[in-house]
Amino acid sequence: MGKSVQKITENVSLIASAQTWIEGLAIQQLIKTSELVGMQRVAGMPDLHPGRGYPIGAAFFTTNKIYPALVGNDIGCGMSLWQTTAKVSKVNVDKMAKRFSHVELPLDESWADTVNVRKREKDIAINAYDHALGTIGGGNHFAEFQAIEEVYDHAALDELGLNKTHLQLLVHSGSRGLGQSILVNHVTTHNHSGLEVSDTDNDINDFSDYMAKHDEAVRWAELNRELIAMRFLEAIRAKGTCTLDVNHNLVSPKEIDGIQGYLHRKGATPSDQGYVVIPGSRGDYSYLVKPLASANANMAVSLYSLAHGAGRKWKRGECHGRLGHKYKRDDLYRTPLGSRVICGNKELLYDEAPQAYKKCETVISDMVDAGLIEVVAKLRPILTFKTNGDCAS
């Protein structure tokens, strides 16, 4: 492992160079989490930042217990990348921006057959949150059309079937109200004490009940991203193919160094599932990267995980105060990279401003230095959709 690996305590590692700014509270949360019962190892990523009690941008390996609160409310949140048939050379961003007036409304009846078929295929039961299928949600979720700006590994691009002359579509969303309801029900019953792992066959208990609901929420989130992509492709009258879809909020069984346990990821992208996209802020580049198999040899460091994005510098709610005197609302609808932003919610516009995030290049550089990844391509934002108004809750 390279110079971008810091050992904080015996069982806490941080993948970040000394030059990468990590908030002290995030480190404190990382250490505090490492003291939970059954916690074996904790790894912070270079996008690490404080969360509500637990850090975001980290992976946690436990034995005998799982902690749903570590996964959080957005179970199955992740990134999907779609190769579209729309040519970059034909893009008129201002015209494109007018085509997304209905993408936050519940899917209408014309989608019913598609939704029902896909739910059956993915073994997802009907639930009270299905009206939100195909919608992005709030916070840092988005749909973004991108152009491949630079290619560093042409063979990898060919392997993925990506065409540099065509637009890419990156979708970031999760399980919406379904994941929220699962966490609320768990915390109401168990607080934050976690659940004892039970592997008794056919034993219906709190652990198996949570895991069944968790796994279904992950599948729901994957379907949600698929439907979001289909809506956006339909809006620009294009077709598309899903190149990759990777979750970064989940807990799953994992054997590490001969120990069988459970790997929790909260804003940590798996490094054992092939190529992934690490997105920047809406005014920054995203990166398509290839995890290195050699990196999996030292699991005490990375816990099979990578950063899931650029990582916040500033807390939500304080960004308007920091930026309002310098940038008018209209200034934030276009970025220095020439891309357009659609965001009708004023607070969200400031909370998700590029200035509120670290430079993605720094996060990528730390993981390259740590020997975890190789960069395949750099992706430039063309149009980022957040919300048309206040329907992003």
Side-chain angles (χ1 to χ4, degrees):
M1 288 288 174
K3 60 188 177 183
S4 294
V5 177
Q6 304 174 39
K7 194 147 187 172
I8 307 298
T9 70
E10 187 57 35
N11 65 339
V12 177
S13 301
L14 176 64
I15 298 160
S17 66
Q19 289 72 44
T20 300
W21 184 80
I22 305 280
E23 194 170 335
L25 177 58
I27 301 289
Q28 290 173 27
Q29 289 183 344
L30 207 61
I31 294 170
K32 189 76 177 170
T33 306
S34 74
E35 297 166 356
L36 291 170
V37 174
M39 188 65 68
Q40 302 299 311
R41 297 174 186 170
V42 173
M45 304 299 128
D47 60 335
L48 185 77
H49 56 282
R52 293 175 182 169
Y54 306 105
I56 300 165
F60 317 91
F61 182 59
T62 61
T63 52
N64 305 320
K65 290 194 89 165
I66 63 163
Y67 290 92
L70 286 182
V71 177
N73 63 331
D74 201 6
I75 301 165
C77 185
M79 302 278 174
S80 66
L81 183 70
W82 290 65
Q83 166 75 67
T84 85
T85 56
K87 291 194 173 180
V88 175
S89 60
K90 299 282 180 67
V91 170
N92 181 316
V93 181
D94 294 328
K95 281 185 179 177
M96 182 191 278
K98 296 173 181 175
R99 294 183 174 175
F100 306 112
S101 57
H102 300 298
V103 293
E104 289 176 289
L105 299 174
L107 292 167
D108 62 29
E109 278 303 308
S110 69
W111 289 84
D113 287 346
T114 300
V115 172
N116 290 336
V117 167
R118 294 299 288 126
K119 288 197 79 175
R120 281 197 299 272
E121 289 174 349
K122 294 179 78 70
D123 191 24
I124 303 171
I126 295 171
N127 65 64
Y129 302 95
D130 283 353
H131 66 278
L133 272 171
T135 62
I136 293 171
N140 62 352
H141 293 162
F142 61 82
E144 183 172 275
F145 287 99
Q146 303 175 329
I148 298 174
E149 181 84 350
E150 289 187 49
V151 180
Y152 307 103
D153 185 343
H154 290 274
L157 212 67
D158 292 342
E159 181 186 339
L160 287 166
L162 295 179
N163 187 331
K164 190 180 177 184
T165 66
H166 288 204
L167 281 179
Q168 312 301 314
L169 172 61
L170 185 65
V171 177
H172 175 206
S173 192
S175 54
R176 308 287 273 110
L178 176 60
Q180 170 79 16
S181 70
I182 293 168
L183 180 67
V184 168
N185 289 340
H186 166 77
V187 171
T188 300
T189 307
H190 300 280
N191 206 333
H192 287 244
S193 57
L195 297 171
E196 295 285 344
V197 172
S198 172
D199 54 9
T200 307
D201 288 344
N202 301 319
D203 181 18
I204 301 301
N205 52 46
D206 291 335
F207 166 76
S208 60
D209 182 58
Y210 172 79
M211 287 306 299
K213 290 174 178 173
H214 164 281
D215 292 350
E216 185 160 16
V218 170
R219 297 193 298 273
W220 195 100
E222 291 168 349
L223 176 57
N224 188 39
R225 287 191 290 276
E226 180 183 346
L227 293 168
I228 290 167
M230 291 169 69
R231 296 185 87 168
F232 276 81
L233 289 166
E234 183 183 76
I236 67 165
R237 300 182 183 93
K239 292 184 170 24
T241 306
C242 185
T243 302
L244 57 89
D245 186 85
V246 184
N247 304 297
H248 54 234
N249 283 8
L250 71 168
V251 56
S252 47
K254 191 75 176 175
E255 183 179 306
I256 297 179
D257 284 354
I259 300 169
Q260 188 63 47
Y262 280 80
L263 184 55
H264 305 63
R265 292 184 175 104
K266 175 61 172 172
T269 302
S271 67
D272 54 356
Q273 293 178 24
Y275 298 95
V276 298
V277 173
I278 313 291
S281 65
R282 67 186 186 222
D284 196 2
Y285 296 102
S286 297
Y287 293 83
L288 174 62
V289 306
K290 178 182 181 178
L292 296 176
S294 58
N296 289 337
N298 192 345
M299 285 303 95
V301 176
S302 66
L303 292 181
Y304 289 97
S305 298
L306 305 169
H308 79 310
R312 294 194 70 88
K313 287 193 302 188
W314 304 337
K315 294 185 181 71
R316 290 190 176 89
E318 66 180 38
C319 301
H320 194 183
R322 286 175 175 265
L323 297 171
H325 65 287
K326 192 173 180 182
Y327 300 98
K328 294 191 178 70
R329 194 169 172 175
D330 286 348
D331 297 334
L332 298 178
Y333 290 128
R334 293 188 186 274
T335 77
L337 295 179
S339 61
R340 278 285 304 267
V341 176
I342 298 175
C343 184
N345 182 310
K346 185 177 180 181
E347 283 306 308
L348 195 63
L349 184 68
Y350 282 93
D351 283 351
E352 293 296 306
Q355 295 85 347
Y357 284 83
K358 302 174 191 179
K359 289 292 290 180
C360 195
E361 186 179 10
T362 303
V363 170
I364 296 296
S365 176
D366 283 352
M367 291 188 290
V368 170
D369 288 346
L372 297 178
I373 59 168
E374 287 178 350
V375 181
V376 173
K378 183 162 76 170
L379 308 170
R380 174 172 51 86
I382 299 292
L383 182 143
T384 309
F385 183 96
K386 300 292 291 184
T387 177
N388 282 316
D390 290 321
C391 17
S393 59

